[in-house]
Amino acid sequence: MKILDNLFYSKNDEWVKIEGNKATLGISDYAQDALSDIVFVDISVSVGEELVSQQNIGSVESVKAAADIYTPVEGKVTAINQAMIDNPEGLNSDPYDKGWLLELSNDAGFDTEGLMDAAAYKKYIDERG
Amino acid sequence: MRNNSEPTIFDLSSVGRNGYQLPESDVRGSEFPTEFAREDLAFPELSEQDVVRHYSRLSALNYHVDKGLYPLGSCTMKYNPKISEKTARLDGFTQLHPLQPTETVQGALFLIYDLQHILSEISGFTACSLVPAAGAQGEFCGVKMIAAHHAYKKQHQRKVMLIPDSAHGTNPATSAMCGYECMPVKTDSRGNIDLEDLASKCNKELAGIMITLPNTLGLFDENILKATAMVHKSGGLVYGDGANMNALLGIAWLSDLGFDVMHYNLHKTFSTPHGGGGPGAGAVCCNRLLEPYLPGPICEMIEEGTKDEPPFYGLYSPERTIGMVKAFYGHFTVLVRAYTYLRVLGANGLRRVAEYAALNANYLMQALKKTYPLPYDRTCIHEFVLDIKWEDAPDIRALDVAKRLMDFGYHPPTNYFPLIVHESLMIEPTETENKRTLDEFIEAMNSIAEDARHAPEMLRKAPSETPFGRMDEVKAARDLKLTA
């Protein structure tokens, strides 16, 4: 299972990459593997919308199950990855890079309280089996 | 070689062929109005024999309970006794009209009355409506009744329905349909409701909780009394999803466990046919608090009988009823089947159903846990959940095992449900399978576990003995083609 060092992770298996006042988020490698073949991505928020932490931003659907996605951080939506909506299989093949879903901005910076770093997330996954 | 050569009925069509011949008309015909004629409708044209043979061949490809083991977890695919088919076909039932005067249908009304009474007694409740057409509608009615009660008590701030993450998938849909905000409650490491998580969600916004008991892991919730007490303490009500009632018949009353309202799936627990074999029925039972909200009509005894006269039965709707949810009286001949089943078994027989269902499930579980990972290793009740994750066969998933079972002539178990077990195979043998059938199934499962290590391709390509091979589910979901 791939877990990247420079990201933060939520208990709901989203990742977020923070670069100053910009954040990018998606679902983790563990999440895409557990879901198996992803066939549908729905993003229910739009560019310009202000999101609070833990707000539902849409859902992903695989041949096995559907799962809601929540933003782990607060911020304003600056971009949505249309490529993943058009080709959801991208989330399976490259969940961390090409598979990003939303880009957020927050002038006050992002609060990572309650999120896990790579080591903590690895432990969290191992415990779940 | 695959026997999948049956063409579609459209392929068998040839212009002008049909299954009837009419005598020459002795009245003047009239022209069919041209504005209603459509050229784009391609109805197949076949003789009667062509049609009968086509569907007979297709039906031989079908898999059903009368053909073999159907261990589809959560669905309780038990044998449907043929005596219930016989009673449901009695003229006295089939020749009734729903608008007949009640004095002419007293027998049918008695059956409804008595079945209401029996179903209430089995769950320890005081009242019952047999109207809901299926389990999902039963749930809908039960949660509507909870909502109606809160509205009557002017508790409009109660807008959250809690649903354990081990509950049935229909529960969140039901809550949403009733206008509630659904909030999941976690499962603890033993497979019970996580009381700490529940406590954090019990407040004045709580409308209630929907609990499946035993839960979808096939486990009896050891925290049930505490959980229902916590919900009641914060003013919420407790809904019982009775889909797994097969495990509790004659053993435990939901009313004693703190439930306020529940539904039965008569097509599971009381052995009326599933799906294409006949519609379902989702009777709702409740306590005195919620009785005024039951969907009508409900059958009541209007006059008690005497030595010479039988009692007289009639229909009514409770005073604050959530309303009619179905035309007339529910799926009446399904009720006849369930009633027959209950009367044939009697109270002691019903308890034995639950005991044998638990015995069969535990027998399978104990045998299979030697070769398959069992995430919640506890005595189960009527079903159990395996997690197909072998370290020495990492590429094999639950779907592969399920598909391979088809090659052995079994209907696959439920897979990928419950969601809390990622590679879940949910197995429910039911009480109607004998030891030999169970042993054969264990043998097939063991042989599949062996192949997973030594011939994994056999699993990944499965099924190979069925009329059609593995369907491309990903393509089917990604490239939807909704037109001909």
Side-chain angles (χ1 to χ4, degrees):
Chain A
M1 209 70 62
K2 227 161 84 177
I3 299 173
L4 299 192
D5 275 340
N6 55 339
L7 308 179
F8 290 99
Y9 299 86
S10 72
K11 284 194 168 164
N12 197 47
D13 302 299
E14 291 96 3
W15 59 262
V16 57
K17 181 181 182 183
I18 295 172
E19 294 163 298
N21 293 337
K22 193 186 104 178
T24 322
L25 65 94
I27 65 169
S28 72
D29 191 34
Y30 176 84
Q32 71 77 19
D33 183 68
L35 282 165
S36 78
D37 292 302
I38 293 169
V39 292
F40 185 69
V41 175
D42 174 45
I43 299 294
S44 55
V45 295
S46 28
V47 171
E49 209 172 320
E50 296 278 357
L51 307 181
V52 294
S53 169
Q54 292 312 314
Q55 185 173 334
N56 178 263
I57 60 155
S59 60
V60 285
E61 211 176 301
S62 74
V63 287
K64 262 171 72 170
D68 285 331
I69 322 168
Y70 303 88
T71 171
V73 292
E74 185 176 324
K76 184 172 157 180
V77 182
T78 48
I80 292 170
N81 190 357
Q82 185 62 37
M84 287 305 110
I85 297 171
D86 297 338
N87 296 298
E89 57 269 33
L91 286 179
N92 290 119
S93 54
D94 193 359
Y96 293 118
D97 188 17
K98 290 197 183 101
W100 65 276
L101 293 172
L102 284 192
E103 190 187 88
L104 306 178
S105 76
N106 189 332
D107 294 341
F110 293 98
D111 184 2
T112 57
E113 172 119 18
L115 299 179
M116 291 171 272
D117 63 16
Y121 184 60
K122 182 173 185 314
K123 193 161 160 261
Y124 175 70
I125 286 178
D126 289 345
E127 276 167 10
R128 284 195 292 180
Chain B
M1 203 185 111
R2 290 187 195 278
N3 171 27
N4 62 358
S5 54
E6 185 62 24
T8 70
I9 194 133
F10 295 96
D11 293 334
L12 292 170
S13 171
S14 60
V15 177
R17 188 170 291 168
N18 61 39
Y20 61 91
Q21 276 184 322
L22 296 177
E24 201 146 316
S25 176
D26 56 1
V27 292
R28 197 151 49 89
S30 66
E31 288 297 311
F32 185 77
T34 48
E35 65 266 36
F36 296 128
R38 283 172 59 181
E39 299 289 327
D40 59 329
L41 295 176
F43 288 114
E45 296 176 81
L46 297 95
S47 73
E48 181 174 322
Q49 174 175 269
D50 292 341
V51 174
V52 168
R53 284 183 177 167
H54 172 69
Y55 286 110
S56 297
R57 287 191 297 260
L58 283 183
S59 72
L61 302 179
N62 195 13
Y63 193 87
H64 43 91
V65 166
D66 286 348
K67 207 165 182 177
L69 177 67
Y70 208 126
L72 190 64
S74 197
C75 294
T76 316
M77 301 300 285
K78 61 170 85 176
Y79 175 67
N80 304 146
K82 298 305 167 229
I83 188 174
S84 302
E85 295 305 315
K86 196 168 175 179
T87 53
R89 284 167 172 75
L90 291 174
D91 283 351
F93 294 129
T94 57
Q95 301 300 312
L96 298 180
H97 191 282
L99 294 176
Q100 247 172 277
T102 51
E103 61 269 26
T104 66
V105 290
Q106 285 294 303
L109 290 183
F110 168 75
L111 187 144
I112 292 177
Y113 178 83
D114 206 28
L115 184 57
Q116 285 170 189
H117 178 76
I118 294 171
L119 293 182
S120 300
E121 187 177 324
I122 290 170
S123 50
F125 286 122
T126 55
C128 174
S129 169
L130 302 177
V131 180
Q137 199 181 31
E139 279 182 41
F140 177 72
C141 291
V143 174
K144 268 276 180 214
M145 288 161 64
I146 290 176
H149 177 70
H150 288 317
Y152 182 72
K153 294 282 177 191
K154 304 213 175 340
Q155 297 275 301
H156 300 295
Q157 84 286 1
R158 297 195 178 274
K159 52 186 188 202
V160 174
M161 185 59 71
L162 298 180
I163 299 169
D165 59 12
S166 63
H168 274 129
T170 44
N171 295 173
T174 294
S175 302
M177 285 281 287
C178 292
Y180 284 121
E181 187 186 314
C182 311
M183 206 179 270
V185 182
K186 290 193 183 111
T187 298
D188 70 15
S189 59
R190 280 186 63 75
N192 299 319
I193 290 174
D194 186 325
L195 292 179
E196 211 175 299
D197 192 44
L198 176 62
S200 72
K201 288 161 185 168
C202 283
N203 53 45
K204 63 180 192 331
E205 292 200 338
L206 184 62
I209 187 168
M210 294 186 81
I211 299 177
T212 306
L213 189 77
N215 65 23
T216 55
L217 296 166
L219 302 176
F220 189 85
D221 198 304
E222 297 159 313
N223 296 335
I224 191 68
L225 289 172
K226 284 181 188 154
T228 56
M230 281 161 71
V231 170
H232 281 148
K233 204 174 158 205
S234 56
L237 295 173
V238 180
Y239 183 85
D241 181 323
N244 296 342
M245 275 302 287
N246 212 40
L248 298 184
L249 296 172
I251 308 273
W253 274 346
L254 287 193
S255 64
D256 275 358
L257 301 173
F259 288 79
D260 297 290
V261 50
M262 56 104 46
H263 82 270
Y264 288 102
N265 297 82
L266 301 192
H267 48 286
K268 295 181 181 179
T269 316
F270 304 115
S271 198
T272 70
H274 276 69
V284 177
C285 294
C286 66
N287 58 19
R288 294 229 179 277
L289 182 76
L290 293 177
E291 211 175 306
Y293 308 99
L294 276 171
I298 289 170
C299 191
E300 63 177 344
M301 193 191 289
I302 290 174
E303 280 169 38
E304 284 192 31
T306 63
K307 191 156 60 71
D308 307 312
E309 286 286 316
F312 190 79
Y313 299 94
L315 295 161
Y316 79 106
S317 272
E319 52 173 318
R320 298 196 289 274
T321 179
I322 58 164
M324 298 253 317
V325 294
K326 169 104 182 70
F328 302 116
Y329 321 111
H331 289 144
F332 179 69
T333 60
V334 176
L335 304 181
V336 175
R337 290 175 173 92
Y339 186 73
T340 306
Y341 179 81
L342 283 161
R343 281 295 179 199
V344 166
L345 283 171
N348 293 333
L350 269 194
R351 189 186 162 95
R352 289 224 307 279
V353 165
E355 289 169 348
Y356 277 79
L359 181 64
N360 279 357
N362 278 284
Y363 180 74
L364 273 189
M365 184 183 84
Q366 289 301 331
L368 294 180
K369 82 177 199 190
K370 294 175 196 151
T371 37
Y372 286 82
L374 178 70
Y376 294 88
D377 189 357
R378 252 174 70 183
T379 305
C380 69
I381 307 198
H382 65 301
E383 66 193 1
F384 58 96
V385 176
L386 301 174
D387 196 6
I388 310 303
K389 264 194 315 201
W390 286 300
E391 274 176 26
D392 52 349
D395 294 339
I396 298 299
R397 311 190 86 148
L399 187 72
D400 303 315
V401 175
K403 296 287 186 195
R404 182 66 180 146
L405 271 169
M406 296 170 76
D407 284 337
F408 286 82
Y410 294 106
H411 192 286
T414 301
N415 56 51
Y416 300 123
F417 188 82
L419 301 176
I420 49 176
V421 175
H422 284 161
E423 289 294 327
S424 54
L425 268 193
M426 186 194 210
I427 301 177
E428 180 181 18
T430 83
E431 74 282 2
T432 60
E433 299 304 330
N434 61 30
K435 183 168 176 296
R436 186 164 74 184
T437 310
L438 299 180
D439 286 337
E440 285 165 3
F441 181 70
I442 292 165
E443 213 174 291
M445 285 290 281
N446 286 342
S447 138
I448 291 170
E450 185 80 11
D451 288 342
R453 274 59 171 228
H454 304 115
E457 273 310 298
M458 202 126 82
L459 272 72
R460 278 200 296 267
K461 281 191 188 141
S464 35
E465 314 281 335
T466 50
F468 290 88
R470 180 145 348 169
M471 301 291 160
D472 189 343
E473 296 178 18
V474 177
K475 186 175 166 58
R478 278 184 189 151
D479 303 329
L480 284 179
K481 193 182 167 207
L482 299 172
T483 51

